[in-house]
């Protein structure tokens, strides 16, 4: 049964943030039944030594405090990304700060990294089985005076629990955060992080992949700087992209002028163009995760063809529920077969070359 057909209409009548809290609570308390486990052999992907059963992941920001990692994996995701978590707990911006743009199949949010902090995050994650791939997305506190120290602290504290770690320098809702995407700032940050990772890898005998998540709102020179820093260091993966500050003229909802990051359908083209640019600029050598506006198998396939080895989704689940995962996986498998690709890997970047 598609559970969302029952509760979806109710949730959508509830204020956006309350609906999110309820959905997360229901998941974390086992009230949403797991999906049937259907294997998709052609969608199986190995990256960074990790075996992804399918390429569809839950994007960061849904499960900020890692409360529902097991429940999310049981919905059929190939992986889930918990966070963004900051070293200390923080309340985020005043409410309302989350807006559904129903007519546009979009969301604007200015949550501002509301989360319970690293200590509670780690405790919650330790209490779960983590039978699947779990990425952890790190941020910095709003009032922190040393961004690098915040990220290094996060890295050390979550290292043992993470399959991969994402450094989020692209949320539009923490003042100054996106400045870390500049060439020098990004290079200094990642030099420190890669140095810290080396020590952690020696101590633990495990090298956890380090990814960066970027904004779609950069010019060609900005993307080129990110690509050069990422290739030079090197960084293990790039997530393209976070929400956008742009407001396409096509937006119809009365919420369209709210401040914050826009996600969902109106972000699709913008973020896919950024993804294609990053694939070209990195010569296809760094694995990319494509995120932004995916709402169907067709959208997910377009991201893969534009250069994504994996994809992530957030906003479309708000409108369509988790039943979407199965639909995307089966649709992707059909498209790969129709186009004569023996595996997902063969389709990565074919539209970007
Ligand atoms: C309510 C909300 C909160 C989010 N919080 C985070 C976050 O904490 N960290 C992060 O890296 N991205 C966050 N994102 C961005 C998503 O992970 C994703 O990059 C973006 O929404 C584009 O994907 P989508 O169009 O499928 O939603 C958030 C998005 C939404 C809608």
């Amino acid at each position: 049964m598609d559970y969302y057909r029952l509760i979806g209409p109710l949730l959508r009548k509830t204020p956006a943030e309350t609906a999110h809290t309820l959905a997360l609570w229901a998941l974390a308390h086992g009230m949403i039944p797991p999906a049937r486990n259907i294997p998709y052999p052609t969608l199986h992907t190995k990256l960074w030594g990790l075996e992804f059963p399918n390429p569809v992941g839950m994007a960061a920001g849904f499960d900020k405090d890692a409360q529902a990692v097991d429940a999310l994996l049981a919905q059929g995701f190939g992986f889930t990304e918990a966070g963004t978590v900051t070293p200390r707990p923080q309340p985020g911006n005043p409410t309302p700060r989350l807006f559904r743009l129903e007519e546009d199949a979009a969301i604007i949010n200015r949550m501002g990294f509301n989360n319970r902090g690293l200590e509670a995050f780690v405790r919650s994650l330790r209490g779960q089985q983590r039978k699947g791939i779990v990425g952890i997305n790190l941020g910095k506190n709003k009032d922190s005076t040393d961004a690098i120290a915040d990220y290094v602290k996060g890295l050390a504290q979550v290292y043992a629990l993470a399959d991969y770690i994402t450094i989020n320098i692209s949320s539009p809702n923490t003042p100054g955060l996106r400045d870390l995407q500049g060439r020098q700032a990004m290079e200094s940050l990642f030099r420190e992080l890669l140095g810290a990772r080396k020590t952690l890898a020696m101590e633990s005998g495990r090298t956890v992949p380090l990814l960066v998540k970027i904004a779609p709102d950069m010019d060609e020179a900005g993307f080129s700087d990110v690509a050069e820093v990422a290739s030079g260091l090197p960084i293990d993966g790039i997530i393209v992209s976070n929400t956008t500050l742009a407001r396409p003229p096509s937006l119809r909802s009365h919420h369209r002028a709210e401040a914050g990051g826009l996600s969902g359908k109106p972000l699709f083209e913008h973020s896919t163009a950024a993804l294609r640019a990053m694939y070209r600029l990195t010569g296809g050598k760094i694995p990319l995760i494509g995120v932004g506006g995916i709402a169907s198998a067709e959208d997910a396939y377009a991201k893969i063809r534009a250069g994504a080895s994996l994809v992530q989704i957030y906003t479309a689940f708000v409108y369509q529920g988790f039943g979407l995962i199965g639909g995307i996986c089966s649709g992707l498998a059909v498209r790969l077969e129709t186009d004569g690709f023996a595996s997902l890997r063969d389709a990565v970047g074919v539209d970007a070359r």
Side-chain angles (χ1 to χ4, degrees):
M1 180 182 66
D2 184 357
Y3 208 67
Y4 197 78
R5 282 175 64 182
L6 282 178
I7 59 165
L10 266 176
L11 282 177
R12 287 209 304 279
K13 283 203 168 55
T14 312
E17 190 165 345
T18 313
H20 173 254
T21 309
L22 279 173
L24 195 59
W25 186 89
L27 264 174
H29 289 82
M31 293 174 72
I32 302 187
R36 272 196 307 147
N37 186 8
I38 304 171
Y40 296 97
T42 53
L43 301 189
H44 189 277
T45 300
K46 191 169 175 182
L47 267 182
W48 309 299
L50 301 168
E51 309 271 352
F52 292 79
N54 72 63
V56 181
M58 180 77 215
F62 181 84
D63 188 13
K64 286 177 187 274
D65 297 305
Q67 293 168 285
V69 164
D70 286 348
L72 282 168
L73 289 170
Q75 292 302 311
F77 284 107
F79 64 113
T80 183
E81 189 168 315
T84 297
V85 59
T86 59
R88 285 171 286 111
Q90 61 178 36
N93 288 322
T95 56
R97 54 193 180 177
L98 180 59
F99 305 89
R100 276 188 299 248
L101 285 68
E102 300 242 1
E103 301 90 325
D104 307 299
I107 285 178
I108 290 176
N109 93 82
R110 51 170 180 272
M111 305 300 287
F113 288 169
N114 56 305
N115 77 102
R116 297 180 187 173
L118 274 173
E119 209 176 295
F121 183 98
V122 165
R123 205 180 314 121
S124 180
L125 207 46
R126 282 220 176 98
Q128 296 179 68
Q129 297 186 315
R130 290 175 279 124
K131 280 197 210 143
I133 296 176
V134 181
I136 299 182
N137 181 305
L138 300 176
K140 73 164 199 81
N141 279 110
K142 184 182 180 186
D143 61 1
S144 162
T145 50
D146 189 345
I148 295 184
D150 273 22
Y151 287 107
V152 171
K153 190 170 197 177
L155 183 78
Q157 297 220 10
V158 305
Y159 196 82
L161 296 164
D163 290 304
Y164 71 84
I165 293 172
T166 301
I167 303 302
N168 178 9
I169 49 175
S170 51
S171 165
N173 302 312
T174 295
L177 193 81
R178 285 184 167 193
D179 296 344
L180 294 168
Q181 297 174 126
R183 179 190 276 269
Q184 275 179 2
M186 183 175 161
E187 193 159 343
S188 312
L189 170 63
F190 275 89
R191 276 197 193 289
E192 285 286 332
L193 284 166
L194 289 166
R197 181 183 68 172
K198 201 169 179 183
T199 311
L200 290 161
M202 277 189 324
E203 286 167 5
S204 65
R206 257 176 91 230
T207 299
V208 177
L210 202 56
L211 281 60
V212 63
K213 183 165 177 180
I214 64 168
D217 308 324
M218 273 186 263
D219 57 15
E220 188 69 23
F223 287 126
S224 172
D225 281 350
V226 168
E228 274 179 38
V229 175
S231 306
L233 282 172
I235 292 171
D236 301 299
I238 308 175
I239 305 186
V240 191
S241 72
N242 216 310
T243 56
T244 180
L245 285 168
R247 293 292 182 268
S250 61
L251 292 181
R252 291 187 295 141
S253 164
H254 63 286
H255 289 310
R256 63 179 180 257
E258 290 290 347
L262 173 73
S263 57
K265 215 164 201 39
L267 173 62
F268 180 78
E269 289 302 335
H270 191 37
S271 60
T272 306
L275 174 70
R276 206 177 294 114
M278 287 311 294
Y279 185 83
R280 287 197 183 121
L281 288 162
T282 53
K285 293 198 177 86
I286 300 181
L288 307 177
I289 301 183
V291 48
I294 297 173
S296 65
E298 191 184 342
D299 296 340
Y301 191 46
K303 290 275 189 203
I304 289 160
R305 293 183 61 113
S309 294
L310 302 168
V311 297
Q312 289 177 324
I313 306 175
Y314 186 152
T315 301
F317 294 130
V318 172
Y319 291 106
Q320 299 187 54
F322 294 127
L324 185 58
I325 307 164
I328 290 185
C329 286
S330 58
L332 271 179
V334 169
R335 279 168 174 79
L336 288 177
E337 191 177 356
T338 308
D339 288 352
F341 295 116
S343 75
L344 189 96
R345 181 179 285 257
D346 298 336
V348 173
V350 291
D351 287 346
R353 287 171 194 148

